[in-house]
């Protein structure tokens, strides 16, 4: 009579089949060895993921540094930034807080088109290509406080 054991994958297999076991190793010990092997594979996968995450974070840091580099004609950090109108400042603060154009327009009693124009003007002044890089540039040149 052939005894059947459950392998780590959940499939029934004859005891000792394919692993050089002569059938005398207790199933609990085989399970323990399977779990150790699984643990080692998980640790290796975890280390690979950490390495990939670190590489990705380095790329993000590089892109952020590029996106906040001072465009020609803008002041460097610590100098007096070019002044903003009160409306530009309000639009910038609300945009940096994540508000959409419609919400900003309603809050400031402006048209959405006016809000878009203000954001585009600010992006042009900073050389930003999107709202995220605009907010970073605004912090860098002093239009917004750090830590927003």
């Amino acid at each position: 009579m052939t005894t059947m054991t459950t392998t780590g994958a959940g499939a029934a297999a004859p005891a000792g089949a394919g692993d050089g076991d002569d059938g005398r190793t207790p199933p609990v010990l085989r399970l323990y060895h399977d779990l150790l092997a699984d643990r080692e594979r998980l640790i290796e996968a975890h280390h690979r993921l950490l390495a990939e995450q670190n590489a990705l974070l380095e790329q993000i840091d590089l892109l952020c540094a590029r996106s906040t580099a001072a465009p020609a004609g803008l002041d460097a950090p610590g100098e007096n930034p070019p002044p903003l109108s009160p409306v530009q400042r309000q639009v910038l603060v609300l945009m940096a807080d994540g508000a959409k154009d419609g919400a900003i327009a309603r809050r400031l009693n402006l048209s959405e088109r006016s809000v878009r124009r203000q954001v585009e003007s600010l992006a042009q002044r900073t050389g930003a290509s999107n709202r995220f890089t605009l907010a970073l540039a605004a912090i860098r040149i002093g239009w917004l406080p750090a830590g927003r």
Side-chain angles (χ1 to χ4, degrees), residues 30-115:
R30 282 193 303 269
L31 180 59
Y32 176 75
H33 289 291
D34 289 346
L35 288 173
L36 282 178
D38 287 345
R39 179 181 177 271
E40 292 302 317
R41 284 191 297 272
L42 285 172
I43 289 171
E44 289 171 15
H46 177 71
H47 287 282
R48 282 192 307 273
L49 285 173
L50 286 176
E52 290 174 11
Q53 178 185 14
N54 287 337
L56 186 57
L57 288 172
E58 288 174 11
Q59 289 178 351
I60 290 170
D61 287 342
L62 179 62
L63 290 172
C64 285
R66 286 182 187 167
S67 70
T68 59
L74 277 186
D75 295 333
E79 297 180 12
N80 293 329
L84 295 178
S85 72
V87 172
Q88 287 175 320
R89 182 169 305 285
Q90 290 174 319
V91 167
L92 183 60
V93 167
L94 292 170
M95 185 219 64
D97 284 339
K100 304 284 186 208
D101 291 345
I104 296 171
R106 285 188 298 279
R107 177 98 182 258
L108 301 179
N109 199 25
L110 299 170
S111 70
E112 283 189 51
R113 186 173 181 178
S114 292
V115 171

Side-chain angles (χ1 to χ4, degrees), residues 138-140 142 144-148:
I139 291 168
R140 182 189 48 74
L144 292 173
R148 281 198 75 72

